[in-house]
Amino acid sequence: MPIASNIKNALASSSMIRKMFEEGLQLKKQYGYDKVFDFSLGNPDVEPPAAFHSLFLKLAQDDEKGSHGYMPNAGYPFAREAIAQKVCKEQNVKIDGSSIVMASGAAGGLNAVFKTICNPEDEVIVTRPYFMEYKHYTANHGAKLIEADALDNFDLDICAIKSALNEKTAAVIINSPNNPTGKIYSKEILAQLAQTLSEHGKKTGRFPYLISDEPYREIAYSKEVPPVLSIYSESIVVSSYSKSLSLPGERIGFIAVNPAINDKDDIVNGLIYATRILGFVNAPALMQRIVSALTEEKVDVSIYAKRRDAFIKVLDNAGIEYASPEGAFYLFCKVPESKKQNASSNDVSCADDKAFIEHLKKYLILGVPGSGFGKAGWVRFAYCADEKIITSSGSAFKKAVQEW
């Protein structure tokens, strides 16, 4: 009996990020961990703060009755209130626990949001390049992801988004700091986006939701990440502790619904229902207790800043152009011009990102093609890797580019 056709088709274009990560595991077995320059997966290697380890050990030893049992699908009331206080400070809005739903990571949260707001054939607009899983998350719930190009500096192109809006538009999703570019959208550009969505809503009677995916909010370098909830009333923030506390494997996050949103009770109840029927049931109990007590904690961002600067030196020395990241831990780079210019030959195009990634593997360098983020001709390198690996990759990068 064959598998479902949509799953079979999806497998053919499965995550390039995961593919490269798994290849990296095999190469490390073959050549040794320190000989492979693996910049494929955004898997933080910075340890969680010391406070996490202390609290984890304490809670693991507690024998309070029912501490590992079910709680309300939305999460523990005390956890929702603690996260609400955190969101108040970050988003500059008055919000309480009734606007918070604890989630199984940002991925679980986004799926609950799309399940709640999308009708079949609805559309969700995203600016490319973007985290490619968004396409699968929307498709999970019968919606279609509509891609709008970014500006040359990877800022939001408000005109492109406006052109993509129509009566089927359920939402616009943004990700700031952005994966893969590291771009942080300014308060001014977000205000322009909010005005565009408001005007569209007044014209059509349907106000698109603005969904802000914020797992990298606390990994920002020289500028703060502006709030979304205080800029546009029909907004929802989804976040996680995968990056801010280095807990990607623990699958803990939250959804924060703007308290001024229309039909707030229906939306929150829909999110709670979606959390249950999608099979998450509830966010992990132990992690809810931990993150609710650690709302002021975060990883040392200066570590990522040092790694970014070290990687930039490597790329500059190799002659690779890149977008300078303002946050997150990725460098989005242009594929260098190839020496193979003969148009009549079978040689690859100088902008072929997949071919360039395959070429880099010969030098044990792993990255991800930009086409995996909707932007061909670029590649992404994740610098959540040991600084020694970054600096020691310099000669491999230089040789790879020289022979490209």
Side-chain angles (χ1 to χ4, degrees):
M1 186 74 180
I3 64 172
S5 58
N6 63 322
I7 297 297
K8 190 169 185 176
N9 292 335
L11 288 175
S13 58
S14 188
S15 172
M16 294 182 185
I17 302 172
R18 282 283 169 179
K19 178 177 179 291
M20 295 305 298
F21 173 67
E22 287 162 10
E23 287 191 28
L25 294 177
Q26 295 301 317
L27 288 173
K28 288 169 188 173
K29 287 180 182 178
Q30 184 176 354
Y31 295 99
Y33 177 86
D34 59 338
K35 299 293 191 299
V36 178
F37 311 114
D38 187 356
F39 308 121
S40 59
L41 184 65
N43 189 19
D45 74 321
V46 175
E47 278 296 298
F52 168 83
H53 293 289
S54 298
L55 185 56
F56 182 89
L57 290 173
K58 177 181 180 298
L59 292 176
Q61 293 169 355
D62 282 350
D63 58 357
E64 182 181 348
K65 187 175 181 179
S67 60
H68 300 290
Y70 287 125
M71 78 295 295
N73 296 121
Y76 289 119
F78 67 82
R80 297 172 73 190
E81 288 296 338
I83 299 302
Q85 291 179 30
K86 168 184 168 67
V87 173
C88 278
K89 297 175 185 176
E90 293 177 350
Q91 298 290 333
N92 195 27
V93 293
K94 274 192 171 183
I95 191 170
D96 61 29
S98 68
S99 293
I100 304 295
V101 176
M102 301 304 292
S104 297
L110 288 169
N111 272 279
V113 169
F114 292 135
K115 183 70 172 177
T116 301
I117 68 170
C118 290
N119 291 306
E121 306 302 322
D122 270 352
E123 297 178 353
V124 175
I125 298 171
V126 68
T127 292
R128 61 182 168 205
Y130 61 92
F131 181 49
M132 192 56 75
E133 299 292 85
Y134 294 160
K135 182 173 288 187
H136 304 299
Y137 298 165
T138 51
N140 283 344
H141 311 292
K144 182 180 181 182
L145 196 67
I146 303 298
E147 301 176 14
D149 281 321
L151 297 174
D152 288 344
N153 67 351
F154 294 122
D155 217 336
L156 298 175
D157 186 334
I158 302 301
C159 290
I161 293 173
K162 185 176 181 179
S163 296
L165 290 167
N166 60 52
E167 290 79 3
K168 291 183 177 181
T169 305
V172 173
I173 183 168
I174 61 172
N175 172 216
S176 177
N178 178 264
N179 173 14
T181 68
K183 186 73 176 179
I184 294 176
Y185 304 133
S186 69
K187 186 175 181 179
E188 291 72 26
I189 201 76
L190 292 176
Q192 291 177 38
L193 176 59
Q195 182 179 352
T196 299
L197 298 181
S198 294
E199 290 172 353
H200 176 77
K202 291 173 184 175
K203 179 181 175 182
T204 64
R206 185 179 190 182
F207 288 82
Y209 296 106
L210 177 57
I211 303 168
S212 186
D213 180 26
E214 301 189 357
Y216 302 97
R217 163 175 278 279
E218 294 176 30
I219 302 178
Y221 304 118
S222 59
K223 60 196 290 189
E224 291 187 357
V225 180
V228 167
L229 296 187
S230 56
I231 291 177
Y232 181 61
S233 62
E234 303 301 302
S235 53
I236 301 171
V237 167
V238 181
S239 194
S240 80
Y241 289 89
S242 294
K243 277 68 180 183
S244 62
L245 289 183
S246 287
L247 301 175
E250 303 298 349
R251 310 314 305 144
I252 181 67
F254 63 87
I255 308 165
V257 176
N258 196 318
I261 205 167
N262 285 314
D263 303 316
K264 179 202 157 190
D265 288 346
D266 282 350
I267 291 171
V268 172
N269 287 333
L271 293 170
I272 296 169
Y273 173 74
T275 297
R276 175 167 62 84
I277 66 166
L278 289 174
F280 304 117
V281 182
N282 55 254
L286 178 60
M287 289 302 123
Q288 286 191 56
R289 295 202 293 277
I290 288 178
V291 299
S292 65
L294 300 181
T295 56
E296 299 298 321
E297 293 286 336
K298 62 180 180 180
V299 296
D300 185 355
V301 177
S302 68
I303 296 173
Y304 289 124
K306 283 181 63 180
R307 293 174 176 185
R308 175 198 59 178
D309 295 343
F311 213 139
I312 282 173
K313 287 182 181 177
V314 168
L315 296 174
D316 285 342
N317 193 43
I320 296 176
E321 296 180 50
Y322 51 85
S324 186
E326 299 167 327
F329 38 61
Y330 305 108
L331 275 155
F332 203 48
C333 307
K334 277 187 179 180
V335 174
E337 184 175 316
S338 172
K339 293 178 181 179
K340 300 176 180 180
Q341 298 288 334
N342 188 348
S344 63
S345 75
N346 292 323
D347 292 328
V348 296
S349 163
C350 64
D352 191 335
D353 50 303
K354 293 180 182 178
F356 185 57
I357 288 296
E358 286 299 312
H359 174 73
L360 290 177
K361 280 164 58 178
K362 300 174 188 175
Y363 307 87
L364 302 183
I365 300 170
L366 299 177
V368 183
S371 50
F373 302 92
K375 186 72 174 176
W378 292 69
V379 294
R380 190 200 76 173
F381 300 114
Y383 53 86
C384 47
D386 193 309
E387 191 173 342
K388 291 179 182 177
I389 296 292
I390 294 171
T391 54
S392 60
S393 70
S395 58
F397 266 107
K398 192 168 185 178
K399 188 174 183 181
V401 172
Q402 288 172 346
E403 297 182 7
W404 166 238

